[in-house]
Amino acid sequence: LELEKNEPQGIVWEHVGVSESQLTWNLVKAVFWMSVTVVIWVVVLYLPYEFWMRSFSFANGDEPGEMAEIIFIGLVVGAQIGLFVTANILAHHAGFIYEDNHQSAYILLYNGALIVNLVFDLCLTAFLGYNQMVGRGVHTADGRLLGDLPNLQQIFESYPMQKAIGSQLKKYCWPATFFIPFSVEPLLAIWLPWHLGKLFIRSHPHLVGRKAERVMVLPVIEQGRFADLIFNSILVCCVPFFAPAYIHKLFGFLIFSHLYIYAFDHVRVLRNITRFHFSSNVCNIQGQQLFSIPCGLLAAALVFKYNQMKGDPHKLGSGPLQGPVLWQVLAGVFFGHIVIHLLCLKYIVPLFCLTDRPPETRPYSECAKQMPASWFSVNPVHCLRSKYIYNHSPPQTYYVIGKEHLAEKNESIGAYFETEPAELEDYSKTSLF
């Protein structure tokens, strides 16, 4: 016998026959299609937007209006929704046997795609903005033309480039990423499906019983929220590189956004989901590991700003670290922190955890009386065999959420659970008081 870290509710029976080689190949294809999705979004949608923005001279009133910002927010929100849907579909079709592993793969695919998409967007903004400002003859604070700066460090530290990339990053953070996707989530993910389902059932009288229940069923809460919070943290930790003037404002927006997400998820768990079951701590551990990325970015940003502060305030790129050495040190700090972060999670954090509980001494027959979902009741093939091949009486009842009271007890086949149906609501009471 081997210790099983997952629970029966977390198994995906349709993927039980997927081999390790098939799973690996499916993950390779998932990474490929996520990359294709990011490239298509950048080339087909974001690149034309950037070229349109660079068509304005930003002189004598020739500037884009509010519509440009609305279009940008729509592009960012649309990209995040598209990547979310794509990552979820690809993670599901990868063939993981357990739902927690599917969620783990989704978090990695979604976060990876968002990070690559962010890098593409900022690089494209920097490249097109630099060429535009060079063409317009923009000067730096010390009077030199932007096009005359000799190296990447001076170009990157110049005020025009910091402003161009920083203002774009600010719009990317707020409200496009920190607020709008989460503000519409109650409407699009909860109310709209419920309302459409209600209208659908009302207009189709033949939908009764189990069919009607499946139309109106509430969603199951997932662990993909890790991906949203991690990416928000990555975004805000990029701000010190480009837009230090926005640090306090964007960190305030981040805190507000996460408080809103916490409150929304709290209400959703209590009122608007079918069930709440996590079989293992795979996603929790992975989330802690992925948070090493924003922490590493913040450490690198501190080194970058400290290097600027130690230099001549009237000269660009005059810090102790210059040229390729600066970028090498920043990369070393970033990846070095990630390594230390992961090592601490692996070896130091467990020292402060609670000790393992002793093995359960109660027999299976006692535990199974309290839990309707067992490895027998969640297996549809086993339930069919029990009824049509072995002719058990009563047969093993298939586990359905909300139908636990229909389970029939038969100790001879390992079916120990039984319960009374829940008390029905009295709809004749119209008053809440």
Side-chain angles (χ1 to χ4, degrees):
L1 297 178
E2 295 181 0
L3 178 64
E4 178 55 61
K5 297 182 178 179
N6 292 276
E7 297 293 334
Q9 294 104 314
I11 194 169
V12 184
W13 288 102
E14 63 187 277
H15 296 155
V16 170
V18 178
S19 64
E20 287 293 330
S21 59
Q22 288 177 304
L23 178 61
T24 302
W25 176 240
N26 289 342
L27 288 176
V28 171
K29 291 191 293 184
V31 172
F32 170 77
W33 284 116
M34 284 302 299
S35 304
V36 170
T37 303
V38 172
V39 171
I40 289 176
W41 185 85
V42 171
V43 173
V44 176
L45 296 176
Y46 191 73
L47 188 60
Y49 168 80
E50 277 296 324
F51 274 114
W52 175 62
M53 288 293 292
R54 301 309 167 192
S55 66
F56 296 94
S57 64
F58 293 86
N60 300 321
D62 185 24
E63 297 182 2
E66 294 181 358
M67 183 57 65
E69 186 166 348
I70 295 174
I71 293 174
F72 177 77
I73 293 174
L75 288 175
V76 174
V77 174
Q80 292 176 0
I81 294 175
L83 293 176
F84 157 75
V85 173
T86 305
N88 212 1
I89 292 174
L90 293 174
H92 173 74
H93 289 288
F96 288 100
I97 297 178
Y98 296 107
E99 181 63 25
D100 286 356
N101 294 333
H102 158 233
Q103 292 296 319
S104 174
Y106 157 74
I107 292 172
L108 286 175
L109 288 172
Y110 184 53
N111 264 136
L114 287 176
I115 292 171
V116 172
N117 181 59
L118 174 65
V119 172
F120 278 166
D121 291 351
L122 294 182
C123 288
L124 194 59
T125 298
F127 176 75
L128 295 177
Y130 173 77
N131 288 318
Q132 181 195 38
M133 288 185 287
V134 169
R136 296 207 319 262
V138 172
H139 291 74
T140 63
D142 57 7
R144 288 183 293 171
L145 290 171
L146 183 63
D148 291 340
L149 298 182
N151 56 54
L152 178 62
Q153 181 180 354
Q154 292 190 22
I155 295 173
F156 188 79
E157 292 182 3
S158 65
Y159 175 75
M161 287 300 298
Q162 292 270 300
K163 180 181 178 182
I165 303 175
S167 60
Q168 192 79 330
L169 182 62
K170 175 180 175 294
K171 290 189 293 183
Y172 202 106
C173 292
W174 181 269
T177 301
F178 289 174
F179 184 66
I180 289 182
F182 308 109
S183 65
V184 300
E185 189 172 342
L187 175 66
L188 298 182
I190 297 177
W191 181 84
L192 186 61
W194 174 82
H195 185 68
L196 293 178
K198 184 176 67 173
L199 296 178
F200 193 73
I201 291 175
R202 189 170 65 184
S203 60
H204 294 74
H206 65 280
L207 288 177
V208 295
R210 181 62 180 158
K211 292 181 179 180
E213 289 179 353
R214 295 182 66 178
V215 173
M216 296 297 294
V217 68
L218 293 171
V220 176
I221 195 166
E222 299 174 343
Q223 302 185 70
R225 187 67 82 198
F226 276 112
D228 299 322
L229 303 184
I230 291 168
F231 184 65
N232 286 353
S233 302
I234 289 173
L235 275 176
V236 82
C237 289
C238 290
V239 173
F241 286 103
F242 308 106
Y246 298 130
I247 285 180
H248 295 89
K249 183 179 293 186
L250 289 180
F251 267 92
F253 287 148
L254 178 74
I255 294 171
F256 169 79
S257 171
H258 286 197
L259 287 175
Y260 167 80
I261 293 171
Y262 178 84
F264 166 64
D265 284 345
H266 180 78
V267 174
R268 185 170 62 138
V269 166
L270 296 177
R271 300 291 183 183
N272 301 110
I273 63 169
T274 301
R275 69 184 177 107
F276 184 121
H277 182 83
F278 302 144
S279 295
S280 68
N281 62 347
V282 171
C283 293
N284 181 47
I285 293 175
Q286 185 188 68
Q288 296 178 44
Q289 294 170 342
L290 288 176
F291 266 107
S292 64
I293 298 176
C295 293
L297 285 172
L298 196 58
L302 291 174
V303 173
F304 178 73
K305 286 302 175 185
Y306 180 77
N307 185 65
Q308 280 186 302
M309 292 171 61
K310 298 300 289 185
D312 187 344
H314 302 292
K315 293 178 63 177
L316 294 172
S318 59
L321 303 175
Q322 299 184 12
V325 176
L326 173 63
W327 311 118
Q328 293 169 6
V329 170
L330 293 181
V333 170
F334 173 70
F335 290 107
H337 173 83
I338 290 179
V339 171
I340 296 173
H341 193 118
L342 296 180
L343 290 175
C344 290
L345 288 175
K346 185 174 180 62
Y347 296 107
I348 297 180
V349 173
L351 298 177
F352 300 92
C353 296
L354 298 176
T355 57
D356 294 335
R357 292 181 297 177
E360 181 61 64
T361 57
R362 289 185 300 168
Y364 174 81
S365 57
E366 292 296 323
C367 297
K369 291 179 181 179
Q370 303 175 4
M371 295 179 288
S374 68
W375 292 106
F376 303 117
S377 63
V378 301
N379 188 337
V381 176
H382 175 77
C383 295
L384 291 173
R385 283 202 203 102
S386 175
K387 182 174 183 178
Y388 295 106
I389 296 180
Y390 302 125
N391 297 317
H392 293 145
S393 181
Q396 174 66 62
T397 307
Y398 182 63
Y399 170 69
V400 177
I401 301 171
K403 304 290 185 180
E404 294 86 354
H405 61 282
L406 298 179
E408 296 182 278
K409 185 177 181 180
N410 186 348
E411 296 186 1
S412 64
I413 62 174
Y416 295 93
F417 181 84
E418 65 177 353
T419 188
E420 297 295 327
E423 183 179 352
L424 296 177
E425 294 185 41
D426 185 1
Y427 293 100
S428 62
K429 296 180 180 180
T430 58
S431 175
L432 297 177
F433 307 98

